[in-house]
Amino acid sequence: MQLNDKYYFVLLINTDYLTFDNGVSGNGRIVDPIHPTQRPLVPSHTKPIPTAAFQHEFQLDSDGNFWLFWNVSGTNITFETHVRTRGYVGFGLSSNGKMFPSDVVVGWVKDGTAVLKDCHTTGHFTPEVDTSQDWHLISGFENDFGTVLTFSRKLDTCDGNDTIITDDTVKAIYSYHPDDPDSVQGMQWHGVKRRGAQSLMFLSSTKSDVTIPANNIHIDLVSPNYEPVIQKENIDYVHHIVVTTCPEVTEADVGTSFACYSRGTPRRFQTCSEVVVAWAVGGVAFNMPEHVGFAFGEADSPKYLRLEMHYNNPTMKSDIVDSSGIRLVLTPDTRQFDAAGMSIGVNVDPTHFIPPYQKAFLSTGYCSPECTEKGLPENGIKIFGLLQHAHLLGAGIITRHIRNGTELSPIAEDDHYDFNYQDIRVLKEEREVKRGDSFIVECTYDSSRRNKPTIGGLSTQEEMCVSFLYYYPRTSMSLCLGLPVYDQISKDPSKAVEQFNGWNWRDDNVQHMFQDLVNNSTYRIICNGPERLKIHRHFSVVPKPDVPFQKPQRQCA
């Protein structure tokens, strides 16, 4: 693809929402308030209108029966649920996506009176009402869509029965029933079809309440459109999508297709390293901050883009034809800063080794001070978003930031990583990065159900550990990746991996020994900048910060 005129990429759109229309008018309340329970519910797949301006929204179920809206303000969060029922509604926070254990709230509107109860579960049965009621009802009513409940709570209620809401991925669980109960204890079972779970990031999600510029154009980059344009019939096969800039290709290469990262990949495509778009399973639309955009059309702006489609087809089904891709929404209005992308973490390589039978094995990627000293501009950069990425074994990812031996607060930390929900995180505060700073990306893997080692690679069954950073101003530094070379075992990392395959991974002593070996190995680091096409390689250990970061203490009396 070639872009000539100057435009700024400002928005990714989720086409899951494009089929919905607004079927409820005004503020969402019914026109006739006399007999609300006698009015038929609006058709399924009608998007409800919230009672106020909410920055975030998500359709929790595939049929559009349960919509969640929310705002975060300081230490408080406000939710609003719109559910296609005139019975009770259940909503909660769970670590595993199941009813137990979870922090839940149940509510209903009966005879015009709204009820909301803060509860917790002690098993897979009716929840128990909390002694401390920390979820607070703001309003509740019934309308053409169904039941609307607005409620709020503190992010940390200091109640042992309540989940602390952090930057972690959390599984929102939901349920509903056609009938109102007289009490929580009198609730009937919601059944199998009126329940579910959806992973979300309440504090880091991109805002939904954005206005698309009237003078926008959109470009669809599809496989032969940033919003992911995923064909619904192929949702199980599209694993992730990456759009990168290509400084060495020409007009003659437009329309070329080839297998990514294969021996047959033309050399001029091997320098397509700057990430413009990174989308993975579960991701939704990403909206650029108003002062930032990816610039196209100037002399020093990207002219050609490469679309990478990564598929997961373990059964080797042969009759799949896919035209999924990415939609870029662009505007000719100049943004203050030109954005860029950078990949940091573990270099994708077969010598990235993850042993089996491990509940929490730690892999580390390192970006050294030498790389940022060479690659970053004199005044540094500011990170405004990132996507943390691993595959099926991923259980947690943290992107750490060190300056002059002092570890700053993590750029992102997720102790409940969900492979099926990988979305771009928007930082609450932009992170300044200076020359000489370093990054450590740590991935915790759960390989306890595998009986063979797992290696690094692009396949879903292999593993990755990468943070895709979005930052400004644009520089030529687009990658900074590290990988242990296992120099305690062999001068050749491939030879070391051959030995690892013969080790007894059921032995606890072997497991601990290997984790220590990885932690203390020399790392081979590759990075680029200030010249985009010049790759720097050097070796370094991963130093421990002189002053590690300490999490703030909870403010509970």
Side-chain angles (χ1 to χ4, degrees):
M1 171 193 172
Q2 180 179 2
L3 294 167
N4 293 314
D5 297 330
K6 183 170 183 179
Y7 279 90
Y8 279 78
F9 155 46
V10 296
L11 176 68
L12 293 176
I13 303 172
N14 184 349
T15 51
D16 287 345
Y17 298 160
L18 296 182
T19 57
F20 303 135
D21 53 35
N22 293 330
V24 181
S25 60
N27 62 3
R29 296 178 183 269
I30 60 173
V31 176
D32 178 8
I34 300 176
H35 301 292
T37 59
Q38 297 177 6
R39 297 174 63 89
L41 297 177
V42 295
S44 182
H45 290 294
T46 299
K47 180 181 175 180
I49 298 177
T51 63
F54 283 89
Q55 294 182 336
H56 309 283
E57 64 182 45
F58 209 95
Q59 177 189 319
L60 295 186
D61 68 320
S62 59
D63 294 326
N65 292 327
F66 203 119
W67 280 80
L68 178 69
F69 301 84
W70 74 94
N71 280 333
V72 180
S73 177
T75 59
N76 293 276
I77 186 167
T78 299
F79 295 101
E80 185 166 287
T81 56
H82 290 244
V83 188
R84 292 188 76 251
T85 183
R86 294 204 174 104
Y88 78 74
V89 172
F91 173 75
L93 311 177
S94 168
S95 60
N96 58 11
K98 299 178 180 179
M99 182 178 178
F100 174 75
S102 63
D103 172 17
V104 298
V105 61
V106 293
W108 58 88
V109 178
K110 188 172 185 178
D111 298 329
T113 300
V115 177
L116 187 85
K117 294 294 183 182
D118 179 5
C119 306
H120 66 278
T121 60
T122 56
H124 294 282
F125 38 79
T126 304
E128 294 186 5
V129 178
D130 286 6
T131 302
S132 177
Q133 290 291 295
D134 300 302
W135 296 69
H136 304 290
L137 177 68
I138 297 174
S139 68
F141 59 90
E142 294 175 335
N143 64 4
D144 286 354
F145 189 87
T147 297
V148 180
L149 296 172
T150 310
F151 46 94
S152 67
R153 55 158 284 183
K154 291 183 178 296
L155 299 178
D156 185 356
T157 66
C158 295
D159 182 353
N161 290 321
D162 291 345
T163 298
I164 304 174
I165 299 176
T166 67
D167 277 327
D168 273 15
T169 297
V170 63
K171 285 186 167 59
I173 59 173
Y174 62 91
S175 64
Y176 56 99
H177 190 276
D179 299 323
D180 291 327
D182 292 321
S183 65
V184 172
Q185 292 73 22
M187 293 191 309
Q188 299 181 53
W189 184 47
H190 43 66
V192 175
K193 295 183 178 181
R194 296 189 293 265
R195 68 178 183 186
Q198 170 64 52
S199 288
L200 293 172
M201 295 183 299
F202 289 129
L203 305 188
S204 305
S205 294
T206 185
K207 293 182 179 180
S208 306
D209 61 337
V210 297
T211 301
I212 300 176
N215 58 353
N216 79 88
I217 65 171
H218 75 260
I219 297 174
D220 290 350
L221 308 178
V222 296
S223 175
N225 256 354
Y226 149 128
E227 154 190 4
V229 183
I230 309 300
Q231 292 187 307
K232 292 187 181 298
E233 63 270 27
N234 294 331
I235 192 69
D236 292 336
Y237 302 102
V238 180
H239 175 270
H240 70 275
I241 303 173
V242 181
V243 178
T244 55
T245 63
C246 293
E248 290 192 298
V249 305
T250 66
E251 184 66 23
D253 295 311
V254 174
T256 301
S257 297
F258 54 89
C260 302
Y261 309 106
S262 67
R263 290 185 177 180
T265 301
R267 189 189 180 285
R268 59 191 178 277
F269 285 102
Q270 296 176 8
T271 58
C272 303
S273 61
E274 180 186 344
V275 176
V276 177
V277 172
W279 175 91
V281 179
V284 295
F286 176 62
N287 310 309
M288 289 283 178
E290 293 183 354
H291 60 297
V292 181
F294 278 91
F296 298 101
E298 290 188 324
D300 61 344
S301 298
K303 192 174 182 180
Y304 298 95
L305 300 176
R306 179 183 69 177
L307 173 70
E308 288 184 30
M309 298 292 301
H310 295 252
Y311 295 99
N312 178 31
N313 186 16
T315 61
M316 300 304 291
K317 187 176 180 181
S318 61
D319 59 345
I320 303 172
V321 178
D322 182 57
S323 295
S324 300
I326 290 290
R327 172 169 294 167
L328 304 180
V329 178
L330 302 99
T331 175
D333 296 336
T334 302
R335 295 288 173 103
Q336 183 179 2
F337 298 106
D338 292 354
M342 184 192 308
S343 302
I344 64 173
V346 178
N347 193 21
V348 182
D349 190 272
T351 59
H352 179 199
F353 188 91
I354 302 162
Y357 310 116
Q358 306 274 308
K359 189 65 180 177
F361 177 76
L362 188 68
S363 281
T364 301
Y366 182 50
C367 175
S368 68
E370 291 83 352
C371 284
T372 62
E373 188 67 48
K374 289 181 179 179
L376 296 186
E378 183 177 353
N379 294 327
I381 61 173
K382 289 187 176 181
I383 300 170
F384 60 88
L386 77 162
L387 171 68
Q388 299 189 132
H389 178 65
H391 290 175
L392 295 175
L393 299 185
I397 307 179
I398 180 172
T399 302
R400 300 166 61 190
H401 182 195
I402 296 93
R403 176 177 298 153
N404 298 326
T406 297
E407 183 174 8
L408 309 180
S409 61
I411 299 175
E413 182 175 12
D414 194 343
D415 292 330
H416 298 94
Y417 175 80
D418 183 354
F419 171 77
N420 292 308
Y421 178 71
Q422 302 182 52
D423 206 2
I424 298 174
R425 294 173 177 268
V426 180
L427 302 188
K428 293 188 291 293
E429 295 181 0
E430 295 178 347
R431 176 61 63 90
E432 181 182 21
V433 180
K434 299 180 179 181
R435 281 182 171 176
D437 287 2
S438 60
F439 300 109
I440 298 174
V441 180
E442 294 177 339
C443 290
T444 301
Y445 297 110
D446 182 356
S447 63
S448 57
R449 296 186 179 184
R450 290 196 178 177
N451 56 16
K452 295 180 180 179
T454 302
I455 61 172
L458 298 173
S459 164
T460 303
Q461 300 302 317
E462 297 169 331
E463 271 303 335
M464 293 179 67
C465 179
V466 177
S467 281
F468 298 102
L469 307 180
Y470 290 94
Y471 71 91
Y472 70 86
R474 183 172 179 261
T475 74
S476 297
M477 187 172 180
S478 61
L479 61 88
C480 190
L481 304 166
L483 188 70
V485 297
Y486 316 115
D487 49 319
Q488 308 97 315
I489 302 298
S490 172
K491 294 181 179 180
D492 183 345
S494 298
K495 299 288 186 183
V497 169
E498 289 180 6
Q499 293 190 40
F500 300 155
N501 284 316
W503 289 10
N504 179 14
W505 294 110
R506 292 186 181 274
D507 189 322
D508 289 345
N509 292 326
V510 173
Q511 294 179 9
H512 293 309
M513 179 182 68
F514 183 70
Q515 184 69 81
D516 289 340
L517 184 151
V518 171
N519 293 346
N520 294 288
S521 170
T522 300
Y523 276 65
R524 183 174 184 264
I525 300 165
I526 64 170
C527 55
N528 64 351
E531 298 175 32
R532 185 175 304 279
L533 303 182
K534 185 175 181 180
I535 301 296
H536 309 285
R537 296 176 174 86
H538 65 277
F539 294 88
S540 172
V541 296
V542 181
K544 292 180 172 59
D546 298 327
V547 183
F549 174 72
Q550 298 291 331
K551 288 187 177 182
Q553 295 293 317
R554 295 175 65 189
Q555 300 300 311
C556 295

